[in-house]
Amino acid sequence: RLLDFIIQENNFLKTRLSEVVDRETDKVFIANAEQFQNEFILKDECILDIGNDIKVQERDLKLAYTQKNAPDHKTCKKQEKLRNEISYLEKECSNLKNQFNKYLLTYEG
């Protein structure tokens, strides 16, 4: 659910950026907007990578469950790694959103 929320937030920010760029002509603003767009795209790629890792982890856990085995040490380590990656992504996306909103305030305020 958290990953879905991050995806929605990132999509909202990209839409907001598009709306602002459509009515802005300042070259400096456009250049900075492009940097934000690149950051949003990088976050999309991270989200996809983590989403794929989650699918693999779910498959491994289902397999262990159907075989009535407890998850092995490797699977537990992967789970811990995924939790850390999601936590880091959440913080990074939150920071990017805050930077973006502050930047927009300098042009809209």
Side-chain angles (χ1 to χ4, degrees):
R1 284 186 260 160
L2 178 57
L3 207 56
D4 286 337
F5 175 75
I6 294 170
I7 290 168
Q8 288 176 356
E9 280 279 301
N10 205 43
N11 286 337
F12 172 79
L13 293 172
K14 289 185 292 187
T15 300
R16 180 77 178 112
L17 178 64
S18 175
E19 290 169 353
V20 175
V21 167
D22 284 347
R23 63 178 191 261
E24 186 60 53
T25 58
D26 181 70
K27 290 181 182 184
V28 173
F29 179 86
I30 299 296
N32 287 324
E34 188 175 326
Q35 290 178 329
F36 279 109
Q37 180 184 18
N38 290 338
E39 287 294 323
F40 296 144
I41 290 169
L42 286 173
K43 296 303 178 227
D44 282 340
E45 292 171 4
C46 289
I47 292 166
L48 280 173
D49 288 344
I50 291 173
N52 289 333
D53 290 346
I54 289 171
K55 288 176 186 173
V56 169
Q57 184 74 351
E58 286 175 338
R59 185 196 67 218
D60 292 348
L61 289 170
K62 283 180 186 176
L63 181 62
Y65 179 76
T66 58
Q67 295 176 352
K68 301 198 185 318
N69 294 330
D72 61 6
H73 179 71
K74 183 179 174 184
T75 302
C76 292
K77 281 293 193 189
K78 283 183 188 177
Q79 189 74 19
E80 183 180 342
K81 180 179 179 269
L82 274 171
R83 283 189 180 119
N84 290 336
E85 287 177 355
I86 291 170
S87 177
Y88 181 76
L89 176 65
E90 181 182 23
K91 288 175 189 169
E92 287 290 307
C93 287
S94 179
N95 288 337
L96 179 60
K97 178 178 80 171
N98 290 334
Q99 290 171 0
F100 178 64
N101 286 331
K102 284 179 186 176
Y103 185 70
L104 288 183
L105 285 174
T106 64
Y107 275 87
E108 294 178 336

